[in-house]
Amino acid sequence: MGRRLSVIFLCFMLPLFIVSCSAASEKQIVKFAKEKYGEATLIKTEESGDEKTVCYFEDKEYGFEYYVTSYMNEILIDGSSFGSTENKGSNFDIQYYNYINEVVGSDVSMLEQKYNIDISVSDGTYIYYFARIYYKSSNTANVSTVTKEISDLYTAIDTRNYWKDLVVEAYDEDGNYLGSYHQGKSGWMTTEDEYDMKYIDEIANLSDDATYLRKEQHLFTETGVNIQDVVQVLGNPEVKENSMVTYYIFIVDGQEYYMCDFMVHDDIGGFEWYTTYNK
């Protein structure tokens, strides 16, 4: 019966995969680039039949160049081909990031001298921070001021708010992480602030009507959860019977609930943060 169902499933799925598909046209790529990256001038287009189209652009605001490519990827399942699907790629992120770094370069050097710090930028492999600062002395009292100044340099240029989620990270003279400045959220956040924000964001995902109130420390046993149901989370302290856990207390429709900083198995074979709120 299982084999028959597998055959039926594949026969049903086959028409979904085997479709006539080609790389996006120049017109489609231009539209995509404008919506995702902003106004730009098309410089040239290169096409390789139906398999690949590459459009080169000049950013209208700042003049740096980048490309957007559309290409075909073959769909392979258990060694069998089920047609191809169209994908897009671009080097816009690194080109824009490099441009901003070039513009703020002299100001960054001045801040290094002013605050006795080293400032490093991303190598472009994966851009998730504007910059990282490393203190050369034990005095880190001005960390919130320093990280804000650096963040302001970048965001003043990023007028289209493309990098709104990027941060400036800070480390002490021994390389220990201190926290980061979040331009789009709450400004300077310590490691504890960032830890808490993770759960506050999770609470917001539970309900549009949820309002975070406060956090409290309680013994794990007070939750009533069986320790066998706990899922240990990489980066979080190990939870034991005598552990203290954090309650993030919130309110929905006048009723208080809490979410804890540990995970439990759910009803469908996965896991979730433990909470007394039932969707």
Side-chain angles (χ1 to χ4, degrees):
M1 182 66 175
R3 181 180 177 82
R4 183 185 174 196
L5 285 175
S6 298
V7 172
I8 292 173
F9 175 76
L10 283 174
C11 290
F12 174 74
M13 293 298 291
L14 206 55
L16 299 181
F17 286 124
I18 301 180
V19 293
S20 176
C21 192
S22 61
S25 66
E26 176 184 280
K27 182 178 180 179
Q28 291 171 323
I29 293 177
V30 169
K31 182 176 183 292
F32 169 86
K34 180 179 179 181
E35 292 175 349
K36 187 169 178 63
Y37 304 126
E39 295 288 345
T41 300
L42 178 65
I43 300 173
K44 66 177 180 178
T45 299
E46 297 175 350
E47 297 180 334
S48 301
D50 293 333
E51 295 300 312
K52 186 177 182 180
T53 304
V54 185
C55 292
Y56 297 85
F57 298 92
E58 180 181 287
D59 184 79
K60 280 192 175 180
E61 185 175 14
Y62 292 126
F64 63 87
E65 296 183 6
Y66 66 95
Y67 66 77
V68 176
T69 179
S70 172
Y71 56 94
M72 303 304 297
N73 263 358
E74 188 177 13
I75 301 170
L76 296 173
I77 299 178
D78 293 333
S80 299
S81 177
F82 290 89
S84 300
T85 182
E86 186 263 348
N87 294 271
K88 289 185 179 68
S90 177
N91 68 340
F92 175 87
D93 282 14
I94 185 60
Q95 293 297 91
Y96 190 17
Y97 183 68
N98 285 343
Y99 170 80
I100 293 179
N101 280 323
E102 183 177 343
V103 173
V104 302
S106 59
D107 291 319
V108 166
S109 296
M110 289 175 59
L111 290 178
E112 286 182 315
Q113 297 298 317
K114 178 180 178 180
Y115 292 114
N116 191 30
I117 57 175
D118 285 325
I119 301 176
S120 71
V121 298
S122 171
D123 62 2
T125 304
Y126 182 64
I127 303 167
Y128 68 95
Y129 58 84
F130 282 132
R132 285 174 169 167
I133 73 168
Y134 295 87
Y135 278 89
K136 294 181 179 179
S137 71
S138 59
N139 182 12
T140 62
N142 60 2
V143 65
S144 61
T145 299
V146 177
T147 51
K148 182 181 187 304
E149 283 193 40
I150 297 169
S151 180
D152 286 346
L153 284 179
Y154 282 86
T155 53
I157 298 172
D158 181 29
T159 56
R160 70 197 70 179
N161 211 25
Y162 185 79
W163 295 122
K164 63 182 183 299
D165 295 324
L166 293 194
V167 301
V168 176
E169 297 180 346
Y171 297 81
D172 67 17
E173 61 179 338
D174 296 319
N176 299 308
Y177 180 60
L178 300 173
S180 58
Y181 186 87
H182 297 247
Q183 183 74 26
K185 287 191 176 181
S186 306
W188 168 252
M189 298 179 71
T190 64
T191 55
E192 182 179 354
D193 293 333
E194 292 181 330
Y195 184 85
D196 292 341
M197 184 56 65
K198 177 172 63 176
Y199 300 100
I200 295 171
D201 288 343
E202 289 292 339
I203 287 170
N205 291 332
L206 289 176
S207 170
D208 292 337
D209 299 320
T211 301
Y212 171 70
L213 299 177
R214 64 189 183 279
K215 66 176 182 177
E216 298 176 357
Q217 295 290 311
H218 293 274
L219 279 169
F220 168 77
T221 51
E222 292 181 34
T223 66
V225 176
N226 188 323
I227 193 66
Q228 300 301 319
D229 293 330
V230 174
V231 178
Q232 301 298 339
V233 178
L234 185 65
N236 278 27
E238 182 180 359
V239 178
K240 300 178 180 179
E241 290 279 6
N242 61 348
S243 294
M244 295 295 292
V245 296
T246 303
Y247 283 33
Y248 293 91
I249 300 169
F250 59 100
I251 188 170
V252 178
D253 297 331
Q255 178 67 44
E256 284 193 7
Y257 304 91
Y258 63 84
M259 175 180 286
C260 292
D261 58 346
F262 63 84
M263 284 190 142
V264 294
H265 294 283
D266 61 22
D267 296 331
I268 57 175
F271 40 87
E272 59 190 0
W273 298 108
Y274 176 71
T275 178
T276 54
Y277 178 74
N278 190 335
K279 294 182 183 180

